Amino acid sequence: MRIAVLVLAALGLAACGDGGSSAERASRQGMLLVGNNQEPQNLDPHKATAVADGKIISAMLEGLVRPDPQDDAAVHPGMAESWEHNADASEWTFHLRHAQWSDGKPVTARDFVYAYRRLLHPQYGGKYAEMLYPIRNAERYNRGECPWEEVGVSAPDDYTLRLSLGGPTPHLPNLLLHYTWYPVPAHAVEAAGGMLDRRSLWTRAGAWVGNGAYVLAGHRFNDYLEVRPNPRYWRAAEVRNRGIRFLPIVNGYTETRMFMGGKLHITNNVPPELISMARSRAPQLFCKDPYYCTIFYRLNTTRPPLDNPLVRRALSLAVDRAALVADVVRGAGIPAYTFTPPGAGYELPAGEDAAMDQAARTRLAQQLLAQAGYPGGKGFPALEVMTTSRDVQRVMAETMQAMWQENLGIHVEIRSCEWTAYKSAQQNMEYDISSSSWSGDYLDPATFVELWRGGGGNNCTGWQGAECDAALREAAQAATPETRRAALARAEQYMLREYPVIPLYWSRRTYLKAADVRGWYPLLLDNHPLDAVEVGHRDTP
């Protein structure tokens, strides 16, 4: 393969030139070079939905708490110096520190109130509004069913924030790590068009105002986005590098070549085709970490014949997941028959589909398709699989296409889209079948199960189930962790019986990390606090 030859040749390029490679020069300057998969679509925490966007936002804004560099489950004080809650963890009070926005204005509790009202406002259309639904009456307000005054958010003074929740929520600090719970600078948003202006430019270079470890220093479209330390950040003295340059490299082959050629410190991923090469040629630099992430296909249940659960189950059964993991992603995953990955003290039994061998699954799939009116695939209408432009997504779609042709006698077309068009089509339900992934927003099964709430902003399948929604409401009111997990499990089981999605595998993070990077540890959520990451070799005494 030509790409492998190019990558192998690039192994010798890292030290070329009198000044060394670009990564070596950046190391001497204390600048971290990170592959970030794609051009950021939005740096507004109330508009962003992509993982790549969230990583940049989390570098430039800080919420009530902040993450630990080595432990996904641990949280540390952020904008809140301390907090307390009542006996059932349904009422929380946060005491804010005296911190500043990057323009010198004070960060106050009213900025949090403003942010939460903005994201939840029924006229704003925030796709991630559901993240705030644990707040009392947040969902009702978001649906236009009650006034803001009935929502459980208040600021008795500038440095006290009170959250009244809809039920016991002892895991609230873990939720608060997600960027949807961050404050926004009310004064800057108002100056740039106001709360409900979705075209606001307050996040652009030159206008950015944040309270995190970094400020936006420059952005060249499809080239790089650079952040530099924020001198007004309350922990400015503890930031371990002098800046980060995020490189939007969509093509995994290109990214691997760039790393091997000394142009990156950390890649976003290693393509499946290059895993063996990377592991053998650079074993000390190759990383394969557990990851709280599911790879799956969404099905548009509003379009025939995908409105028929028999067809949806047949499509799922006809996929040989073991072959998909072995041949397409080269072992960087675990075959999945349920949706929520393990890792947070919750794991559903695999169920009937997983108990069969693939031959039995295929026979049942053929029977179900015939029962739906398409024996041997006869008369089955043309469908289309929509994927991103990444090579691994294309290869996976081609593999699924071949499996459905061989096992069911049906043919699907493949449509490859660049990221912006793909996201727009998925959000607007302009697809038949969509390749998808979901990474946990926090270390709890709810971040996966609540995705299938009827009408949810990130559901994007058209499916909703009364039993699933009822179980989710029960989970939100559960008095004990055990009762809550059981309700979430029922909600997921209800969803899985209807097959609005085809779970394929639980992902593993495969990437390359330079030898002089320190402070970067394996994390199930891949939520690395970048201010804790150092680059460059320490002098030996």
Side-chain angles (χ1 to χ4, degrees), residues 63-75:
L64 294 164
V65 300
R66 56 188 180 85
D68 186 276
Q70 300 187 58
D71 184 354
D72 288 287
V75 299

Side-chain angles (χ1 to χ4, degrees), residues 170-457:
H171 58 290
L172 179 64
N174 292 101
L175 303 186
L176 298 177
L177 290 170
H178 193 261
Y179 59 80
T180 46
W181 292 86
Y182 293 176
V184 295
H187 64 284
V189 176
E190 286 297 306
M195 177 181 284
L196 301 182
D197 183 3
R198 289 188 60 85
R199 295 174 297 176
S200 173
L201 301 180
W202 74 272
T203 59
R204 298 289 180 90
W208 173 265
V209 177
N211 69 327
Y214 302 91
V215 293
L216 184 58
H219 183 192
R220 183 178 295 170
F221 186 76
N222 274 340
D223 189 1
Y224 69 88
L225 184 145
E226 186 173 308
V227 299
R228 294 280 183 165
N230 174 9
R232 289 193 168 99
Y233 178 49
W234 70 277
R235 296 178 58 252
E238 298 176 49
V239 175
R240 307 303 296 176
N241 55 65
R242 295 181 183 176
I244 307 162
R245 183 167 281 204
F246 297 92
L247 304 182
I249 311 164
V250 176
N251 188 294
Y253 300 125
T254 301
E255 185 182 45
T256 303
R257 288 207 312 272
M258 289 178 66
F259 179 89
M260 296 297 188
K263 296 180 180 179
L264 278 172
H265 290 120
I266 304 171
T267 70
N268 180 71
N269 78 301
V270 173
E273 294 87 344
L274 299 182
I275 287 176
S276 178
M277 181 278 296
R279 183 186 284 120
S280 63
R281 296 300 298 262
Q284 72 281 14
L285 309 180
F286 177 76
C287 304
K288 182 178 176 181
D289 298 345
Y291 191 23
Y292 205 41
C293 176
T294 299
I295 307 300
F296 64 104
Y297 270 19
R298 280 181 168 90
L299 305 177
N300 187 340
T301 65
T302 68
R303 293 184 175 182
L306 299 175
D307 57 347
N308 187 336
L310 296 175
V311 172
R312 299 198 297 263
R313 189 183 181 195
L315 290 172
S316 178
L317 287 165
V319 176
D320 187 339
R321 290 159 173 82
L324 199 69
V325 168
D327 300 335
V328 177
V329 298
R330 310 296 172 92
I334 299 173
Y337 294 88
T338 57
F339 190 72
T340 304
Y346 165 102
E347 189 171 353
L348 285 183
E352 176 187 357
D353 292 358
M356 296 182 280
D357 61 27
Q358 187 54 46
R361 284 192 287 268
T362 299
R363 287 193 297 271
L364 179 56
Q366 293 166 348
Q367 294 168 14
L368 292 171
L369 197 65
Q371 188 178 342
Y374 307 103
K378 293 179 181 178
F380 196 84
L383 293 179
E384 185 178 73
V385 173
M386 180 181 70
T387 77
T388 66
S389 55
R390 291 183 60 198
D391 287 320
V392 67
Q393 294 293 336
R394 176 185 53 77
V395 174
M396 185 180 302
E398 291 171 352
T399 304
M400 301 275 280
Q401 180 187 53
M403 289 178 179
W404 285 330
Q405 179 68 56
E406 179 179 351
N407 295 335
L408 297 177
I410 65 174
H411 177 73
V412 297
E413 296 293 334
I414 298 172
R415 170 166 57 114
S416 180
C417 305
E418 58 86 23
W419 180 252
T420 303
Y422 163 84
K423 286 294 290 184
S424 176
Q426 185 167 274
Q427 290 286 347
N428 294 319
M429 305 259 319
E430 297 168 350
Y431 73 91
D432 296 323
I433 303 171
S434 173
S435 63
S436 304
S437 66
W438 189 259
S439 303
D441 293 318
Y442 49 95
L443 198 60
D444 188 276
T447 186
F448 285 87
V449 184
E450 288 182 354
L451 192 64
W452 309 116
R453 187 191 306 274

